[in-house]
Amino acid sequence: MASIVKRGKNYHVRVSWRDKSGVLKQKSKGGFKTKNEARQYAVELEQQLFTGVNIKQKKIPFSEYFANWYEVYKQPTSKHSTQQRYEVAIRQINEYFQDIAIQDITRHDYQVFLNQYGTNRSKNTVRIMHSMIKACVSSAMYDEIIRKNFTENIQLVFDPARTRKIDYLSLDELKRLTDLCLNGRQKRYTSRYMILTAIMTGMRIGEIMALTWDDIDYQRQTITVNKTWDYQSGGGFKATKNDSSNRTVNVTQQLLDWLAELKENNSNMVFENARGQIPTSAAANNTLRTLLKQAEIKKPSFHFHSLRHTHVAYLLSKGIDIFVISKRLGHSNLSTTTDTYAYLIHEYQQTQISEIKKNLALLAE
């Protein structure tokens, strides 16, 4: 309930209400030059109360709220690489929004921020920034600090030139790369074996580095993924990317036979070489680039993770169901797979459309 009284030349507003516990609360403000201005302010407060906003909440700089939200809800469970992304976000928010309160930011303000941020950044970089901010703003709504989510219904703006399309190998190129890996492999040097494993399983490089011999079941022809290698922070085991990344991958006897050759290195780590080291990401990529050059495959942006995309491309080309592929990759849900590999799915969808037409035409013969 709002009351408006005139005090001297100005108008004073007092809004009263009871909280969830029945306790009487009041908020007042004076200095309005006209009664209409005072009434408009009262209506706005009552509207906020109706929608559940805590109008007694002091205004909080967005930069301050984001940093606190990160420290409390995200930092304790985030990996080092994820923490680095959040630290970048904190710097960007501090620089752009400065002392602007989270309660004062509009959808327009946020879109302008994204427009500026995305001018010289890739689509994936902008998407990651947006997802972090969106999660924070959703938390602010849950805390009844704001009543509207200003990150909804916006457009991601990015630099197409920096948005790299991930290369994958054709069937012929994949066969040439596989043959080179096999023909030149030596037990003392394990990078080629890592590349073969990526080709045959679609596993991430950290998952491959972390493999121990008890992860490999020769009877059931499977590899169990239950940890990853922290190659970005000097090595050592760490948890997988998420719970769904813990999985069992069915493999061929051929791959198992190739890996068995590495037992002569006398290490519990599958890919530890004769010098007692697991090849670094840089070393594995150097070997991959050398092999691509020998195979006369010109794909400058192709790197180790591209082998995962190549694995998906190969399975799709053979008609393997996308749901089965998603589980094999360790994605938490099907949409992750379809979003990540949308460009591949579209390509093979065109092939399937031709097959549909061909088979339907048979009905009329």
Side-chain angles (χ1 to χ4, degrees):
M1 179 179 176
S3 64
I4 301 174
V5 296
K6 190 173 183 179
R7 292 181 179 172
K9 293 182 179 181
N10 296 322
Y11 288 86
H12 184 88
V13 176
R14 175 178 293 160
V15 176
S16 304
W17 75 98
R18 292 189 181 276
D19 64 15
K20 295 176 182 179
S21 303
V23 178
L24 180 65
K25 301 284 186 179
Q26 292 183 331
K27 182 171 183 176
S28 58
K29 184 177 180 180
F32 297 101
K33 294 182 179 179
T34 66
K35 190 172 184 179
N36 189 50
E37 287 179 356
R39 186 182 294 113
Q40 185 176 350
Y41 174 75
V43 168
E44 288 176 358
L45 285 186
E46 289 181 327
Q47 179 63 29
Q48 290 180 34
L49 284 170
F50 179 75
T51 56
V53 175
N54 181 4
I55 63 174
K56 294 286 283 185
Q57 173 73 53
K58 292 182 180 179
K59 290 194 174 183
I60 307 170
F62 182 35
S63 56
E64 180 183 317
Y65 182 85
F66 187 92
N68 181 260
W69 169 79
Y70 161 65
E71 290 173 5
V72 174
Y73 294 102
K74 295 298 179 179
Q75 188 178 32
T77 57
S78 296
K79 297 177 183 177
H80 179 67
S81 58
T82 305
Q83 290 176 359
Q84 288 179 317
R85 290 195 188 107
Y86 276 107
E87 287 164 7
V88 169
I90 289 171
R91 288 197 296 271
Q92 289 293 330
I93 291 169
N94 281 337
E95 182 180 326
Y96 185 86
F97 291 101
Q98 298 181 13
D99 294 327
I100 297 176
I102 189 172
Q103 296 96 328
D104 293 336
I105 298 174
T106 65
R107 189 167 69 94
H108 175 269
D109 297 331
Y110 181 62
Q111 183 67 64
V112 172
F113 162 73
L114 284 182
N115 293 350
Q116 180 176 312
Y117 180 74
T119 302
N120 58 355
R121 291 178 172 86
S122 71
K123 182 178 182 179
N124 190 54
T125 300
V126 176
R127 181 187 60 79
I128 291 172
M129 175 66 72
H130 171 60
S131 66
M132 290 188 290
I133 293 177
K134 188 174 183 178
C136 173
V137 172
S138 295
S139 179
M141 287 189 67
Y142 189 83
D143 290 339
E144 299 182 353
I145 292 173
I146 57 175
R147 64 189 181 91
K148 285 186 178 180
N149 189 332
F150 56 77
T151 65
E152 295 287 354
N153 298 316
I154 54 83
Q155 298 295 320
L156 294 184
V157 177
F158 54 90
D159 181 2
R162 292 175 179 265
T163 303
R164 181 177 61 186
K165 180 182 177 181
I166 298 178
D167 283 325
Y168 62 93
L169 304 181
S170 67
L171 181 58
D172 177 65
E173 291 169 335
L174 181 57
K175 187 69 170 66
R176 277 151 45 198
L177 175 62
T178 303
D179 287 344
L180 279 170
C181 276
L182 288 171
N183 294 333
R185 70 188 191 276
Q186 297 180 46
K187 305 177 188 70
R188 294 182 303 158
Y189 308 110
T190 57
S191 287
R192 291 185 186 227
Y193 290 88
M194 290 171 63
I195 293 169
L196 285 169
T197 303
I199 290 172
M200 302 296 280
T201 66
M203 289 168 58
R204 302 176 180 93
I205 188 169
E207 296 170 344
I208 292 172
M209 290 176 171
L211 287 179
T212 53
W213 288 112
D214 55 3
D215 295 325
I216 301 177
D217 190 326
Y218 279 85
Q219 255 190 333
R220 293 184 174 84
Q221 294 186 329
T222 61
I223 293 178
T224 298
V225 179
N226 51 32
K227 55 191 175 300
T228 188
W229 192 253
D230 194 7
Y231 63 91
Q232 293 179 320
S233 301
F237 293 125
K238 66 176 184 177
T240 54
K241 188 174 182 180
N242 48 51
D243 288 341
S244 60
S245 294
N246 295 313
R247 64 197 186 279
T248 300
V249 181
N250 289 284
V251 296
T252 65
Q253 186 59 48
Q254 290 170 308
L255 177 61
L256 295 177
D257 291 341
W258 299 333
L259 295 180
E261 298 169 3
L262 300 179
K263 289 186 175 182
E264 292 184 18
N265 290 330
N266 297 316
S267 171
N268 184 48
M269 303 297 298
V270 175
F271 295 104
E272 191 171 285
N273 58 31
R275 292 178 294 179
Q277 299 173 334
I278 298 172
T280 63
S281 174
N285 273 292
N286 284 337
T287 300
L288 178 59
R289 280 190 286 271
T290 299
L291 292 171
L292 291 173
K293 186 175 181 180
Q294 291 175 6
E296 298 182 346
I297 300 172
K298 297 180 180 179
K299 294 186 183 292
S301 62
F302 196 92
H303 50 86
F304 199 95
H305 195 74
S306 303
L307 295 171
R308 183 170 166 89
H309 291 255
T310 298
H311 184 73
V312 174
Y314 179 75
L315 296 182
L316 283 172
S317 72
K318 297 304 178 183
I320 305 300
D321 186 82
I322 189 66
F323 178 79
V324 176
I325 295 174
S326 181
K327 291 298 182 184
R328 185 174 179 85
L329 296 177
H331 285 163
S332 56
N333 52 64
L334 188 60
S335 63
T336 302
T337 313
T338 54
D339 289 347
T340 305
Y341 299 102
Y343 65 97
L344 281 175
I345 294 169
H346 176 73
E347 288 182 19
Y348 289 108
Q349 185 181 40
Q350 301 310 306
T351 304
Q352 293 299 312
I353 288 172
S354 299
E355 285 297 310
I356 289 171
K357 290 179 178 179
K358 178 182 175 182
N359 284 286
L360 287 175
L362 295 175
L363 296 174
E365 292 182 356

